[in-house]
Amino acid sequence: MAPVAMSTAAQSIAGAKPLSFWLDDPGRPEALPALTGEEHCDLLVIGAGYSGLWTALLAKEREPERDVVLIEGHETGWAASGRNGGFCAASLTHGLPNGLERWPDEIEKLEELGARNLDAIEEAVARYGIDCEFERTGEIDVATQPHQLEELREWHQELERRGLGGVEFLDGDALRAHVDSPTFLGGLWDRRGVAMLHPAKLAWGLKQACLDLGVRIYEHTRGLELARTGTGMAVRTPGGRVLARCVALGTNIFPSLVKRVRPYTVPVYDYALMTEPLTAEQLAAIGWKNRQGLGDSANQFHYFRLSADNRILWGGYDAIYPYGGRLSAALDQRPETFLKLAGQFFECFPQLAGVRFTHAWGGAIDTCSRFSAFFGTAHQGRVAYAAGYTGLGVGATRFGAEVMLDLLAGEETERTALEMVRSKPMPFPPEPFAWAGIELTKRSLARADDNGGHRNLWLRTMDRLGLGFDS
């Protein structure tokens, strides 16, 4: 970055609040009391992010008389569910290309289930009156380099050939008529497959819906230990314990209470900036009248979108894996990444020179080697888990909740019959091999971005093994 550009970027992030814009909201609900003593229930859900919230809500919808308890180690939606970009995608497979590569024989069913899942989220938001700024505007996958444009064109033709359409190819002029950036060469617009929303308000709205249906929620109540007891399970907490017939784990990036699951995920820290609200003149300078979400097509990609009050969220690019997979609040802030992101923002939108960022934050994503969620049970079917959403969990967690409830019920459904549900990704190796492999992959991906998309021997080997690293 040139000195002048670096100075501009540094000025733009000076004074930005070091916390998620979404969580910095006057409507943030008060925390509920922690559990003290002993609780009994039919179903215990651990984790009050999207995964746990959808599980508790759907459990009550399926069986209103079921006694459901939800415990959360901090506060509802405080982790990934309150820090993401607010892209709620229909895809259950971290995008159609990943799904087609891994499960070609069931991709049509996976796409159908994903579309139904997004429709169900939209319907639930309306039915429960969740004011989460839900906008089904779609998403544009943007090419900023010639090889990316050619890849998008070829992918569009492949979709048309397979009858998996629903996307529109936009050349450079057509794309810039939607959103104007000198870096845009073209794109693919998925009109219906992605919605924009306020992620924290979705979590808080789901929390209230659960409470209204009779779910008992305890916050600042961490699940410490899981053990069999009689015909059910016991979960120890700092102030007591919960005895339940069955347990659903929605802890995602946090160490699973089923220890054998832990090697399947690693934490990857992702970072984002939020601008001040754009003026009418600034907004007119870039267009963006249809308010789609956008993401560029690089391996080290950016995602960006408009908020309800016309701020721009700009995130992605750096994906940071901490050695040993340690989780730390200190890693939520990374000034060198924020400076890099700010400089890249003004390269994309030079017409917004002078705009300042009001918030800068990061958070951990539960990443697995196949990029999309995996599922399973433990303790003879009394415990179910879903994890590994790899950054596309805003929508897919509802599907994961349905899978966990199916598994706990011992039911054979169209979901549990899927190879995606019945199979597992390859676990990550122990240290120092995990760190070395991830670092080598990251550097190779960066070189591919700088070299016309050419994938080196390491990446080609990873491709053949069905392994990857992504945020």
Side-chain angles (χ1 to χ4, degrees), residues 172-335:
D173 290 340
L175 174 54
R176 290 188 293 272
H178 285 277
V179 188
D180 190 13
S181 166
T183 67
F184 292 175
L185 303 180
L188 284 182
W189 181 12
D190 180 351
R191 289 177 172 268
R192 292 285 299 166
V194 184
M196 300 294 107
L197 52 77
H198 187 303
K201 287 184 178 180
L202 175 61
W204 300 334
L206 291 173
K207 171 185 175 179
Q208 188 58 54
C210 286
L211 292 170
D212 291 344
L213 292 184
V215 176
R216 299 192 300 286
I217 300 177
Y218 298 95
E219 296 181 310
H220 294 287
T221 301
R222 184 182 170 196
L224 300 175
E225 186 179 24
L226 178 70
R228 286 281 300 277
T229 175
T231 59
M233 302 300 301
V235 174
R236 183 170 60 85
T237 72
R241 68 172 183 165
V242 183
L243 301 175
R245 287 197 306 108
C246 54
V247 177
L249 299 177
T251 49
N252 296 82
I253 193 53
F254 298 98
S256 177
L257 293 181
V258 177
K259 292 183 180 179
R260 69 171 183 267
V261 176
R262 295 179 185 180
Y264 288 100
T265 62
V266 295
V268 173
Y269 277 80
D270 184 46
Y271 298 92
L273 302 172
M274 184 69 96
T275 72
E276 61 194 349
L278 300 186
T279 66
E281 292 76 16
Q282 289 168 331
L283 192 59
I286 59 172
W288 218 339
K289 296 180 289 295
N290 293 314
R291 302 180 57 82
Q292 305 98 327
L294 287 94
D296 63 50
S297 301
N299 292 308
Q300 292 183 290
F301 64 92
H302 303 90
Y303 53 88
F304 40 116
R305 56 154 298 184
L306 288 171
S307 67
D309 59 349
N310 291 327
R311 301 168 183 262
I312 296 178
L313 180 145
W314 178 265
Y317 194 78
D318 275 346
I320 305 302
Y321 169 68
Y323 185 88
R326 72 187 188 280
L327 294 167
S328 170
L331 296 173
D332 294 345
Q333 292 293 306
R334 197 166 191 268

Side-chain angles (χ1 to χ4, degrees), residues 25-240:
D25 190 285
R28 184 171 181 169
E30 292 290 325
L32 295 171
L35 172 66
T36 57
E38 191 167 278
E39 257 284 17
H40 297 257
C41 60
D42 297 322
L43 171 65
L44 171 63
V45 181
I46 302 179
Y50 298 138
S51 189
L53 290 164
W54 280 118
T55 303
L57 183 66
L58 292 170
K60 292 295 285 186
E61 288 183 350
R62 289 187 182 193
E63 297 181 46
E65 301 307 312
R66 179 162 22 187
D67 191 21
V68 179
V69 168
L70 172 61
I71 63 172
E72 161 58 40
H74 193 70
E75 294 182 21
T76 296
W78 78 279
S81 296
R83 307 186 193 201
N84 63 80
F87 287 65
C88 185
S91 177
L92 305 175
T93 60
H94 206 275
L96 182 54
N98 188 53
L100 190 58
E101 179 181 340
R102 297 181 187 281
W103 303 288
D105 294 338
E106 58 187 29
I107 192 62
E108 287 82 6
K109 173 57 70 174
L110 288 165
E111 288 291 290
E112 175 197 342
L113 289 170
R116 281 161 46 187
N117 184 65
L118 182 55
D119 288 343
I121 292 172
E122 184 172 16
E123 190 273 334
V125 164
R127 177 157 44 93
Y128 289 108
I130 299 174
D131 181 17
C132 63
E133 301 164 9
F134 190 98
E135 299 179 274
R136 199 153 176 178
T137 52
E139 180 181 18
I140 303 176
D141 193 4
V142 175
T144 58
Q145 294 186 28
H147 75 272
Q148 296 170 6
L149 182 63
E150 187 58 32
E151 288 169 358
L152 290 182
R153 194 188 308 275
E154 291 175 358
W155 177 240
H156 181 251
Q157 293 169 351
E158 177 71 6
L159 293 177
E160 294 291 311
R161 187 181 68 80
R162 289 177 173 269
L164 295 170
V167 297
E168 178 182 350
F169 182 81
L170 304 171
D171 64 19
D173 290 340
L175 174 54
R176 290 188 293 272
H178 285 277
V179 188
D180 190 13
S181 166
T183 67
F184 292 175
L185 303 180
L188 284 182
W189 181 12
D190 180 351
R191 289 177 172 268
R192 292 285 299 166
V194 184
M196 300 294 107
L197 52 77
H198 187 303
K201 287 184 178 180
L202 175 61
W204 300 334
L206 291 173
K207 171 185 175 179
Q208 188 58 54
C210 286
L211 292 170
D212 291 344
L213 292 184
V215 176
R216 299 192 300 286
I217 300 177
Y218 298 95
E219 296 181 310
H220 294 287
T221 301
R222 184 182 170 196
L224 300 175
E225 186 179 24
L226 178 70
R228 286 281 300 277
T229 175
T231 59
M233 302 300 301
V235 174
R236 183 170 60 85
T237 72

